[in-house]
Amino acid sequence: MFSNRLNLLTKRPLNFSKVLKKLATLSLVFALFSCASAPKVSDNLINQANHQQNLAQLIHWTIQGKIAVKTPEERFSATLHWQQENDTYKIRLTNIIGSTLLELEGNTEYAKLTLDDEHYIDTDPERLLYRTTGWQLPVKSLPALIKGYAPPETFDTKLDSAGFPKEVQEKHSLSPSPWVITYKGFEQNKQYWLPENITLKKSPNTIKIRINQWQLI
């Protein structure tokens, strides 16, 4: 069985500070978002039902951008590379000179994380990421959330005046602090309106993502 081959993090605890030392931009963690260009929005009210249906069908894409992570223990930023093909994803973080800091890949059955030239495998990507880095991130929902699609069975959505999602909050969270996702700025790419700036908060953690380029396949 596949589960018998899993490496459930039996190696020694990871010293994640080694990775942080590689980042030359620690003092600029959230500064990269302060100079973002004015958000682009539609001049007309969009049809939310059609918009969400289009996003649900968008399953092949890549993005380039920046990610900034703030936790009680650390702050840092990195360049984000993400490739999504249906349920298969590959997320790579690189530093200012292009060296890979972290790579997370997987699908609905498994996740593999590569960090400091060591590999870790688990069936749950969120558990894997937390146990190796200490980060909390809604990895399983993020392929939908990052394109502005919030499944109604798991998220409540507030819209702005143009009909775009403004704030999304996790439903039925077992944690006293559910995930809250806010969007700022949407840009049209083919028939899709896709977000440029996303903030994910789950107290006391904050993750900001700025997308510089969407490539739709």
Side-chain angles (χ1 to χ4, degrees):
M1 296 294 291
F2 178 77
S3 59
N4 294 332
R5 302 198 304 269
L6 293 179
N7 171 7
L8 294 180
L9 308 178
T10 58
K11 298 182 180 180
R12 64 185 183 280
L14 180 67
N15 184 358
F16 193 57
S17 62
K18 293 180 182 178
V19 178
L20 298 182
K21 292 179 182 178
K22 299 178 184 177
L23 291 166
T25 57
L26 293 180
S27 62
L28 302 177
V29 177
F30 281 58
L32 62 92
F33 295 97
S34 63
C35 58
S37 59
K40 304 177 184 65
V41 295
S42 172
D43 293 329
N44 302 311
L45 183 68
I46 64 169
N47 184 308
Q48 180 60 205
N50 290 342
H51 176 59
Q52 290 293 304
Q53 184 177 8
N54 284 339
L55 292 178
Q57 296 171 353
L58 178 60
I59 56 176
H60 300 282
W61 46 264
T62 63
I63 59 172
Q64 305 283 339
K66 298 287 185 180
I67 183 169
V69 179
K70 178 183 177 182
T71 74
E73 292 77 26
E74 61 204 21
R75 302 178 176 212
F76 73 93
S77 64
T79 299
L80 171 67
H81 313 262
W82 186 326
Q83 181 178 357
Q84 188 79 27
E85 296 183 8
N86 206 347
D87 292 327
T88 300
Y89 57 86
K90 178 180 284 189
I91 303 168
R92 184 164 57 94
L93 304 186
T94 61
N95 64 13
I96 195 170
I97 62 173
S99 298
T100 298
L101 303 171
L102 177 152
E103 188 171 86
L104 178 66
E105 58 184 307
N107 53 36
T108 56
E109 296 182 355
Y110 88 104
K112 182 176 78 171
L113 187 143
T114 303
L115 188 64
D116 271 355
D117 297 322
E118 297 197 31
H119 306 288
Y120 304 88
I121 300 177
D122 202 334
T123 54
D124 188 319
E126 296 175 12
R127 179 176 61 200
L128 176 62
L129 191 65
Y130 181 73
R131 293 178 67 177
T132 52
T133 68
W135 302 351
Q136 289 184 303
L137 193 64
V139 179
K140 288 176 283 190
S141 300
L142 203 53
L145 295 172
I146 205 165
K147 61 185 180 181
Y149 174 67
E153 64 273 12
T154 50
F155 293 93
D156 287 319
T157 301
K158 296 179 181 178
L159 305 178
D160 64 15
S161 58
F164 293 102
K166 180 179 181 180
E167 181 181 283
V168 171
Q169 182 166 318
E170 181 184 20
K171 290 182 180 179
H172 317 303
S173 173
L174 299 178
S175 167
S177 177
W179 280 105
V180 177
I181 299 93
T182 55
Y183 298 90
K184 184 179 180 181
F186 286 78
E187 184 173 7
Q188 190 169 17
N189 189 321
K190 297 182 179 179
Q191 72 268 37
Y192 308 100
W193 283 91
L194 298 166
E196 295 180 306
N197 292 282
I198 307 165
T199 300
L200 303 100
K201 290 187 177 181
K202 183 182 181 71
S203 182
N205 305 301
T206 301
I207 298 97
K208 292 191 174 185
I209 297 173
R210 188 180 74 192
I211 301 171
N212 297 326
Q213 181 183 32
W214 281 94
Q215 183 177 353
L216 309 184
I217 303 171

